[in-house]
C-alpha cells in the first residue's frame, strides 16, 4: 500500500500526516509555536516506523508551499527536499491558503466565499478568495486591510475570513456579509486529497531547485539598541 507524507510548517503550527488515497493513517501536530526544527524529524521518524509496521510505502512528499512564515517555510522545504532526495521520491507543492480553504469549506454555507488569511505584519495579511470548489476568485497577494478591503465582493457575497491573520481584521471589515471563523490553521491532514490529485497527474516540482512561495522577501530587523562591546 502506498501513501504520501504531507508536511505543513507555514505558520506557528507544525503538522505532518501520512495518508493513502482514501484516508489519513497517522498525523502528528505541534501547536506550541515555532518548534518546527525540533519536532519535524521526530514526527517523520515516528511516522516512518508506523508505516513500516503497517506495510505502507511512502511514495511522495507533499509540502505546504506558502505563503507564510519565512523561517517555517525554509525548515519545511529543507527537510522535504532532503527526504525526497534520500528516498528518491517526488516532491509535490500545495498552496498553503488553498489548504486552509479546503479545511473550512464544509463548515460554511455553499454560497459563502472563503478567505484564508495568514498574518504578515501590522494590518497586512497574505490572503486569497476561493469559491466552494476551491477556484480562485481573488489571487494570492499581500493585502493591507482597511475598511474598503473586499468591498466589491462583500456587497454581493458572504465571505468567511479565517486564519491567524483574520482576528485583527474583525473591527475593520464590518459588513454584515463578513463572517469570522476562529482557530483555523493550515494542517497536513487537509493536504492529502490535493496531493494525490497531483501525484496521479505527475504534477511534481524539481527537488533540487524548488523554492517556497514567500510572496515577499524576508526583511531582517535592526535592533533598536546598539550594544557596544569593550
Amino acid at each position: 500500500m502506498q501513501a504520501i507524507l504531507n508536511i505543513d510548517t507555514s505558520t506557528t503550527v507544525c503538522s505532518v500526516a501520512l495518508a493513502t488515497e482514501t484516508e489519513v493513517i497517522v498525523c502528528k501536530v505541534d501547536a506550541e509555536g515555532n518548534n518546527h526544527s525540533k519536532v519535524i524529524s521526530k514526527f517523520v521518524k515516528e511516522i516512518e516506523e508506523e508505516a513500516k509496521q503497517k506495510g505502507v510505502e511512502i511514495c511522495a512528499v507533499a509540502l505546504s508551499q506558502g505563503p507564510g512564515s519565512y523561517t517555517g517555510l525554509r525548515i519545511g522545504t529543507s527537510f522535504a527536499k532532503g527526504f525526497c532526495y534520500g528516498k528518491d521520491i517526488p516532491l509535490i507543492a500545495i498552496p498553503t491558503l488553498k489548504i486552509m480553504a479546503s479545511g473550512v469549506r464544509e463548515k460554511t454555507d455553499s454560497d459563502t466565499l472563503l478567505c484564508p488569511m495568514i498574518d504578515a505584519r501590522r494590518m497586512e495579511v497574505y490572503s486569497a478568495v476561493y469559491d466552494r470548489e476551491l477556484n480562485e476568485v481573488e489571487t494570492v497577494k499581500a493585502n493591507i486591510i482597511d475598511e474598503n478591503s473586499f468591498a466589491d465582493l462583500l456587497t454581493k457575497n458572504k465571505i468567511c475570513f479565517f486564519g491567524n491573520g483574520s482576528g485583527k481584521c474583525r473591527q475593520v471589515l464590518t459588513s454584515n456579509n463578513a463572517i469570522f471563523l476562529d482557530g483555523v490553521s493550515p494542517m497536513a491532514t487537509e493536504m492529502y486529497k490535493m496531493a494525490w490529485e497531483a501525484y496521479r497527474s505527475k504534477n511534481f516540482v524539481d527537488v533540487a531547485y524548488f523554492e517556497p512561495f514567500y510572496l515577499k522577501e524576508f526583511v531582517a530587523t535592526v535592533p533598536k539598541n546598539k550594544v557596544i562591546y569593550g
Side-chain angles (χ1 to χ4, degrees), residues 11-67:
T11 64
T12 56
V13 178
C14 176
S15 61
V16 183
L18 185 68
T20 66
E21 290 189 78
T22 57
E23 64 177 348
V24 174
I25 299 173
V26 58
C27 178
K28 305 285 183 178
V29 180
D30 180 275
E32 296 301 315
N34 300 320
N35 290 323
H36 305 22
S37 60
K38 298 178 182 178
V39 302
I40 190 169
S41 295
K42 175 177 177 289
F43 283 172
V44 173
K45 183 177 181 180
E46 292 171 351
I47 287 174
E48 281 190 287
E49 290 174 357
E50 188 161 343
K52 185 176 180 180
Q53 292 172 5
K54 294 183 176 180
V56 175
E57 175 194 1
I58 298 175
C59 61
V61 174
L63 179 67
S64 176
Q65 71 177 41

Side-chain angles (χ1 to χ4, degrees), residues 114-149:
L114 308 172
C115 184
M117 291 179 161
I118 293 177
D119 191 21
R121 57 180 180 177
R122 298 185 179 89
M123 287 304 294
E124 188 171 21
V125 298
Y126 303 132
S127 68
V129 179
Y130 298 91
D131 65 16
R132 182 79 167 188
E133 304 304 317
L134 301 183
N135 300 307
E136 280 190 352
V137 177
E138 282 196 1
T139 58
V140 179
K141 55 188 170 184
N143 265 323
I144 297 176
I145 304 299
D146 59 29
E147 63 275 9
N148 297 314
S149 298

